[in-house]
Amino acid sequence: MNTLADHVQRVGFRKWYERQLLSSHAHMVLAFLSVIGLLGSLEAARGADASLQVLDVLMALLCTGIGIWAIRRYLFLLMRAEETANQASCPDCGDYGRFRVLRQHPAQQCVDVRCAKCTREWAISGLL
């Protein structure tokens, strides 16, 4: 099973966080492009004959669906990354994002981590 904790363990928290932000913002760009497609489809439908209007309306519906999916994915990725980042500082020394994954607890939806600087252990939820 390839979980987020596995990704963090393989590439490190900071790289994982950066990739999550880049991926979420790529979805935001997709949502913006779908709005442009939606507006273009609606504009093309205004002066077209009936058969082309049907095609333009279908394209508008497709752009709307893609836009809704992209916004939902953007918000999901961004919120997951931010929720995890808020828990990534060591409670003792305050070192940010430098930890190793020790154990995964799927039942509790958390991961035990150890600080690379002071070896303090704590749990991060939502990293599964």
Side-chain angles (χ1 to χ4, degrees):
M1 186 161 83
N2 205 1
T3 65
L4 293 176
D6 295 333
H7 288 282
V8 170
Q9 193 168 15
R10 191 176 71 245
V11 299
F13 173 75
R14 291 179 184 192
K15 285 272 191 202
W16 173 84
Y17 181 67
E18 178 183 349
R19 289 176 184 179
Q20 292 295 302
L21 291 181
L22 287 173
S23 179
S24 70
H25 285 87
H27 283 88
M28 180 181 64
V29 169
L30 177 61
F32 179 72
L33 292 174
S34 69
V35 168
I36 292 172
L38 170 66
L39 294 174
S41 296
L42 293 177
E43 180 67 25
R46 281 191 359 184
D49 60 356
S51 62
L52 288 178
Q53 278 185 342
V54 171
L55 181 63
D56 290 332
V57 168
L58 288 175
M59 291 305 289
L61 290 174
L62 179 67
C63 288
T64 301
I66 291 171
I68 290 171
W69 174 82
I71 285 290
R72 289 177 50 106
R73 189 73 182 153
Y74 163 70
L75 291 173
F76 170 76
L77 291 171
L78 186 66
M79 291 301 111
R80 180 176 63 180
E82 290 302 315
E83 178 184 343
T84 305
N86 288 334
Q87 303 173 60
S89 293
C90 176
D92 285 348
C93 69
D95 201 20
Y96 176 75
R98 292 186 52 222
F99 56 80
R100 296 200 42 84
V101 175
L102 299 175
R103 293 171 293 281
Q104 299 180 28
H105 304 284
Q108 290 91 11
Q109 293 287 317
C110 69
V111 175
D112 290 337
V113 296
R114 177 181 291 139
C115 179
K117 186 176 180 182
C118 70
T119 67
R120 164 85 193 286
E121 293 184 13
W122 76 97
I124 295 179
S125 63
L127 195 56
L128 290 180

